[in-house]
Amino acid sequence: MDKKLKVISKVSVALALLCVAVPAEAANSTVFAANKTAKKTTSKKSAAKNRKKISGTLTVVSKNGKQVRLYDDKGNATKTYKKNGSKSTVYEQATINGQLMYRIGSSKQWIPAKYSKVTLKKTTTAKKTTANVTVYNSKGKTINCYTRNSKRQIVKTYIKKGSKVDVWGQGPINGRLMYNISRLNEHGEYARDAWVPAKDVQVDYFKGVQFIDYCGSGTPAQTKAKYDANLAEIENNDSSSGEATCEWFEAHPLENLRVWSQDFEVSKSTYEKHNQTYAQRAAEFGRTGVLFTKESYTAYIKGKTSYRQYEAKWAAKYPKITRNVTKSFATDSKLKKYNLNTFEWHFDDKFYIHYEK
């Protein structure tokens, strides 16, 4: 036999005997060490995906009550365990090797979600600062608004977006629908030449409005009771009188405004071409005087359906007054002259008033 072959043969036999002589535990340790070394060289990057920072408390919940092993961010099991029922602060969540896990410490302290119960902290959302409304004059140029402070000094003020405002009129400025409001100028005088974009504010139809059935001496309940008693007396004994007609108009703002509008130019154009709606005019009437009942005005502002329901209810309660007033509408020469259906719902056909152009 060749000398080289003899040497190789002896070495092979020696290696074989060595493997047999090595204990199983040592062999496993050797293999584990080899694998561990291999992992270090091949899995340097974190396996965590879809990472998201969270804040709260995590409670360990194992099905069998045993402690739960932790993992590193590569998905390798560590020698660290957490007892069942123990609590930890949770900092992050991520998907590691296809499994949702929570980080409760360093990058080597991840616990599977299936063994976790997480209670997140309630986050307080910072209050958003409300933007201010830009105020314009009738020529479309920006202007300032003022108010008086506690010392009666005139200081600049702002209108917040979404605020409710009293509206005197409306119209288009630079192609946008604007509401005409009153403002205090730098001289401490109230001026009407102030306009705000309709989309930035709400019309306040109730602020400062007075109601005829709640006006007078006594408590609101007492004045309301007096008004209702007087109306019932007219219904039973004087339903065809001029007073009955006045009472009917006080309880019917739609018809009241339609009759009143005959003294102004009325057209079927769109509201952008006009200065004031009937609803705005009704609110102005209520602020400068006492004209409508509260129930009728409220139903009217809500819209057609609400108002028609209210009218039917009122007619059923006061049928004699209703019948006599309706008859007068059919025979009134002034209404025939204007050829205007007083009972028509103006919000549907875009009837609006030319007022203070």
Side-chain angles (χ1 to χ4, degrees):
M1 183 182 293
D2 191 287
K3 289 182 179 181
K4 290 183 179 181
L5 293 177
K6 286 182 179 181
V7 172
I8 292 171
S9 177
K10 288 179 179 180
V11 172
S12 300
V13 172
L15 287 173
L17 291 172
L18 180 62
C19 290
V20 173
V22 174
E25 291 182 3
N28 290 340
S29 298
T30 305
V31 173
F32 177 77
N35 289 341
K36 191 172 182 182
T37 303
K39 286 181 180 179
K40 283 184 177 180
T41 56
T42 58
S43 296
K44 293 182 180 180
K45 293 183 179 180
S46 170
K49 298 179 180 179
N50 303 320
R51 301 179 79 140
K52 179 182 178 182
K53 289 184 178 181
I54 57 175
S55 179
T57 303
L58 181 145
T59 305
V60 177
V61 182
S62 61
K63 294 180 181 179
N64 51 16
K66 293 182 179 180
Q67 57 186 0
V68 177
R69 186 193 293 271
L70 302 184
Y71 295 78
D72 61 21
D73 60 357
K74 301 177 184 64
N76 299 319
T78 68
K79 295 180 180 180
T80 306
Y81 294 82
K82 295 293 290 185
K83 291 183 180 180
N84 181 47
S86 62
K87 296 180 184 294
S88 303
T89 301
V90 61
Y91 302 97
E92 189 179 4
Q93 70 178 41
T95 303
I96 300 176
N97 294 338
Q99 185 177 189
L100 178 63
M101 292 196 180
Y102 295 110
R103 181 170 66 82
I104 56 175
S106 69
S107 60
K108 294 183 179 181
Q109 293 178 297
W110 290 82
I111 185 171
K114 62 182 178 181
Y115 301 126
S116 310
K117 181 181 178 181
V118 176
T119 304
L120 297 177
K121 285 184 179 179
K122 292 182 179 180
T123 56
T124 54
T125 306
K127 291 184 178 179
K128 295 181 179 179
T129 55
T130 306
N132 296 324
V133 177
T134 304
V135 183
Y136 302 85
N137 62 18
S138 58
K139 296 180 180 179
K141 294 183 178 181
T142 58
I143 56 176
N144 295 320
C145 289
Y146 297 85
T147 188
R148 291 186 185 275
N149 60 19
S150 58
K151 297 180 180 179
R152 303 298 296 166
Q153 297 170 325
I154 299 172
V155 293
K156 191 182 294 186
T157 189
Y158 301 93
I159 300 172
K160 300 293 184 183
K161 280 193 175 181
S163 298
K164 286 188 174 182
V165 295
D166 298 344
V167 174
W168 294 92
Q170 65 181 39
I173 296 177
N174 294 334
R176 290 191 297 172
L177 177 62
M178 298 277 200
Y179 288 148
N180 181 209
I181 63 172
S182 62
R183 71 177 179 104
L184 197 69
N185 61 23
E186 62 271 25
H187 305 297
E189 302 167 340
Y190 277 99
R192 291 284 292 272
D193 191 26
W195 298 78
V196 293
K199 65 179 181 62
D200 293 338
V201 295
Q202 303 176 62
V203 179
D204 191 343
Y205 292 110
F206 289 88
K207 184 179 179 181
V209 174
Q210 304 174 78
F211 302 107
I212 196 164
D213 51 341
Y214 285 89
C215 182
S217 59
T219 65
Q222 290 172 337
T223 56
K224 173 63 175 171
K226 289 178 183 178
Y227 181 87
D228 289 345
N230 180 60
L231 191 56
E233 176 68 20
I234 294 172
E235 166 69 18
N236 294 326
N237 303 311
D238 203 12
S239 61
S240 60
S241 66
E243 186 180 1
T245 303
C246 289
E247 296 288 347
W248 187 89
F249 273 112
E250 289 172 355
H252 292 79
L254 168 67
E255 292 77 10
N256 190 316
L257 290 166
R258 290 301 293 273
V259 172
W260 169 86
S261 70
Q262 293 173 94
D263 296 327
F264 293 81
E265 181 185 354
V266 179
S267 70
K268 284 193 174 183
S269 186
T270 57
Y271 64 84
E272 287 89 353
K273 295 181 180 179
H274 300 277
N275 278 12
Q276 190 175 42
T277 68
Y278 280 86
Q280 291 164 11
R281 186 60 173 154
E284 186 179 336
F285 275 147
R287 294 187 182 106
T288 57
V290 184
L291 189 62
F292 304 120
T293 62
K294 185 176 182 179
E295 187 179 7
S296 67
Y297 179 85
T298 302
Y300 173 69
I301 294 300
K302 286 182 178 180
K304 182 178 180 179
T305 301
S306 177
Y307 187 72
R308 294 309 188 198
Q309 291 173 348
Y310 158 77
E311 280 190 314
K313 178 182 174 182
W314 200 96
K317 191 173 183 178
Y318 305 105
K320 294 179 182 178
I321 298 176
T322 301
R323 184 166 54 253
N324 288 325
V325 172
T326 304
K327 183 179 179 181
S328 69
F329 273 122
T331 58
D332 191 284
S333 59
K334 189 175 181 181
L335 292 177
K336 287 184 176 181
K337 175 184 175 182
Y338 284 97
N339 191 27
L340 180 68
N341 181 2
T342 309
F343 296 90
E344 188 174 7
W345 183 255
H346 54 78
F347 285 178
D348 286 352
D349 58 19
K350 305 300 182 187
F351 270 100
Y352 285 85
I353 305 166
H354 286 280
Y355 180 72
E356 293 185 0
K357 253 193 171 182

